[in-house]
Amino acid sequence: ASKAPVLTRRTLCATMGNCCGTREREEGSVPLVAASRSEDVRTLLETRVLQYDDGRGSYTLAGRSFAKEELIFQEPALLLVYPSRDPPWRAALRVELKCVSADCAWQYCMAVHCLPPAQLPVPLPEGLKPLSEEARRRLLQLCGESPTADEAPSELAVVTARHLIELAAGDGGRPFAPRGGADGLARALDGFASRLSRNAFEVTDLKARPPTAADAIFHRISFFNHCCAGGSTSTWTWNGGDGLLSVKTTGTVALDDELTISYIGRPWSHLSRQARRRYLKQNYNFDCLCKSCSQRSVARGPGEHGSEEARGGGPMEGGSKLVNLLRRYVHEEAMGEADDGGTTSDASPQSGATAANGGADGGAAAATAAVGSRSEAKATSLSSASPRAKAPLTEEGRLERVLQRCLGEGLLQVSAELALQALREEEGHVGKTMIKLRRQCRSAAS
């Protein structure tokens, strides 16, 4: 799996897990030890991670009952990399990697930090802090593929390995002869990149000015499966100040209930089932088998578990303008028309697929898609309007503002994908993003 142009890690405006949506538990599952010996017994009993013996991946169960919005656990990142804070060597590496693949460059900028000391130059480049042995052990527990000795390394891995070797030579350090040679170093990078691509989150430090995004990898939450359309049982938030990811329930959870999160947030979580599944397949490389995608839609009453209203959200704001932009996005990405009648998707499930990376609070208020008719979207928006406390503007909120401004200025060639890419390049600044998009549209027109 690779970083897709839109959302490829599980993010605060969207997030990750270990397999392809929730599945019914069945006989033959075996326990997987996912916690460190340093964690206390109470923490270990909060959740239980099991792994299917048929290779389909892992899932997490509640070790006890939880109340609505109760904290399940907090955990620090195993690895946290801020692209905007790259030291010179990593900034140069990122530029070179983006020439090969702009979508996957981030994986190898993180993978460098995962290498053991024996595969790193001495002295270490500025800002290169390798993972501890314990953190690396936890990372290797996550889903991913390790290349065999007879497999040729990827071009991205070869570029990264060469960069490290040249960096050591240029700094006048000791001659750098990595274990297994350059190809062995590249294959090790491919192995770590595989796990990062399937499990990494994108988090945002909202206290920074401007808000700063980072690529992060966590351990315990990586064993949570995905569930669409408000059916997830938990959600997560990142606090850049204390460096902790907090996982809370979205409703009451009973003992042995599966704990799930949503890998996608608004506006993508508000697509219909068919469009949503195609989006997940395209960006996370798995066929979603969660209960929201596997069953026919059932209308939910106000305040029922899993509804967007019950989770403090609400139907997608912005009315028919944003709906039309999403329609265009769905069409441009060949996602097909929305099946707002609630029919079962014809996508064929594939067991054992894994996700790339994920979202927190992204569920649809009902199985009816926000990309439905204009009248339905407008009625839903009006009927659900209610006063709210002012909250910090998230990336998804900034994206909605950019899309609406593009529509108002007639920049109809700007897709949601292009807008999000520009927004991230301008570090979340809406005004600068609009300037960038206007220039791009003028350049394309000329």
Side-chain angles (χ1 to χ4, degrees):
S2 63
K3 182 187 175 188
V6 184
L7 292 175
T8 51
R9 314 172 203 49
R10 306 164 200 180
T11 64
L12 187 54
C13 56
T15 193
M16 84 189 164
N18 213 32
C19 17
C20 53
T22 56
R23 295 177 292 258
E24 292 298 321
R25 300 198 304 277
E26 48 184 70
E27 296 298 327
S29 60
V30 296
L32 175 69
V33 179
S36 166
R37 290 189 294 268
S38 63
E39 293 178 284
D40 59 38
V41 174
R42 189 187 68 80
T43 302
L44 290 172
L45 295 177
E46 297 291 303
T47 61
R48 294 189 297 118
V49 178
L50 300 179
Q51 188 172 41
Y52 289 102
D53 59 0
D54 59 3
R56 287 185 298 159
S58 309
Y59 57 93
T60 301
L61 303 182
R64 62 173 178 86
S65 59
F66 290 91
K68 181 180 179 181
E69 297 184 354
E70 182 177 355
L71 179 69
I72 303 174
F73 62 78
Q74 291 180 311
E75 66 172 327
L78 297 177
L79 176 62
L80 189 66
V81 174
Y82 286 92
S84 61
R85 302 174 187 173
D86 280 347
W89 68 268
R90 197 169 66 205
L93 172 61
R94 195 181 296 273
V95 170
E96 191 172 358
L97 290 172
K98 283 185 175 181
C99 294
V100 180
S101 172
D103 297 337
C104 302
W106 65 271
Q107 300 167 15
Y108 290 83
C109 289
M110 291 188 75
V112 170
H113 294 264
C114 303
L115 293 168
Q119 290 183 302
L120 289 171
V122 178
L124 291 175
E126 174 195 357
L128 176 51
K129 183 179 180 180
L131 290 181
S132 66
E133 184 178 345
E134 173 66 15
R136 191 176 301 105
R137 182 187 70 82
R138 289 184 169 206
L139 175 61
L140 292 174
Q141 287 182 343
L142 306 184
C143 65
E145 299 173 355
S146 299
T148 61
D150 57 349
E151 286 185 75
S154 68
E155 185 178 358
L156 286 163
V158 170
V159 168
T160 307
R162 188 187 72 244
H163 191 89
L164 283 175
I165 294 172
E166 292 176 352
L167 184 65
D171 286 346
R174 295 206 306 254
F176 179 41
R179 185 176 57 201
D183 282 353
L185 177 60
R187 277 190 287 268
L189 288 164
D190 274 335
F192 288 119
S194 171
R195 285 170 170 79
L196 293 167
S197 69
R198 298 184 182 194
N199 297 283
F201 285 74
E202 184 171 70
V203 298
T204 303
D205 184 356
L206 295 176
K207 294 183 178 180
R209 292 293 177 268
T212 307
D215 301 320
I217 189 76
F218 300 91
H219 185 242
R220 294 181 67 183
I221 198 173
S222 295
F223 295 97
F224 280 39
N225 286 330
H226 165 79
C227 191
C228 290
S232 56
T233 58
S234 54
T235 185
W236 63 271
T237 55
W238 166 254
N239 187 317
D242 59 20
L244 289 175
L245 177 136
S246 300
V247 183
K248 293 185 177 181
T249 58
T250 57
T252 56
V253 174
L255 172 68
D256 281 345
D257 279 355
E258 183 170 5
L259 296 171
T260 57
I261 53 177
S262 174
Y263 296 178
I264 54 177
R266 289 185 292 179
W268 294 274
S269 61
H270 288 67
L271 301 177
S272 67
R273 175 172 49 242
Q274 179 183 355
R276 190 174 61 239
R277 291 187 74 182
R278 290 183 180 178
Y279 177 84
L280 286 165
K281 179 65 175 177
Q282 179 185 23
N283 291 281
Y284 293 89
N285 196 30
F286 73 94
D287 293 292
C288 188
L289 302 178
C290 76
K291 60 184 179 183
S292 298
C293 289
S294 301
Q295 301 172 359
R296 284 180 171 272
S297 15
V298 178
R300 292 188 177 102
E304 282 191 314
H305 172 73
S307 69
E308 192 72 7
E309 291 81 0
R311 299 173 59 188
M316 184 171 51
E317 299 174 359
S320 58
K321 291 183 179 180
L322 185 56
V323 170
N324 285 334
L325 286 171
L326 282 174
R327 277 206 189 102
R328 283 175 42 220
Y329 170 75
V330 172
H331 176 71
E332 290 167 2
E333 297 297 324
M335 300 178 81
E337 295 182 354
D339 58 335
D340 57 344
T343 57
T344 304
S345 171
D346 57 1
S348 57
Q350 294 179 357
S351 63
T354 53
N357 296 248
D361 196 8
T368 304
V371 289
S373 66
R374 284 190 179 190
S375 59
E376 289 175 348
K378 187 174 182 179
T380 302
S381 180
L382 290 175
S383 65
S384 64
S386 60
R388 298 185 191 174
K390 188 174 181 181
L393 191 61
T394 61
E395 186 179 56
E396 64 205 64
R398 290 184 173 84
L399 175 61
E400 289 184 15
R401 287 191 180 186
V402 170
L403 292 175
Q404 291 185 49
R405 288 178 64 172
C406 286
L407 182 64
E409 296 182 19
L411 305 178
L412 301 181
Q413 62 270 51
V414 176
S415 65
E417 171 189 332
L418 181 61
L420 183 58
Q421 181 180 350
L423 187 65
R424 288 178 174 170
E425 289 175 353
E426 296 300 334
E427 298 182 332
H429 196 292
V430 174
K432 292 181 179 179
T433 299
M434 290 304 302
I435 293 173
K436 186 181 189 73
L437 291 173
R438 292 187 197 108
R439 289 174 178 170
Q440 290 178 349
C441 291
R442 286 197 297 267
S443 176
S446 61

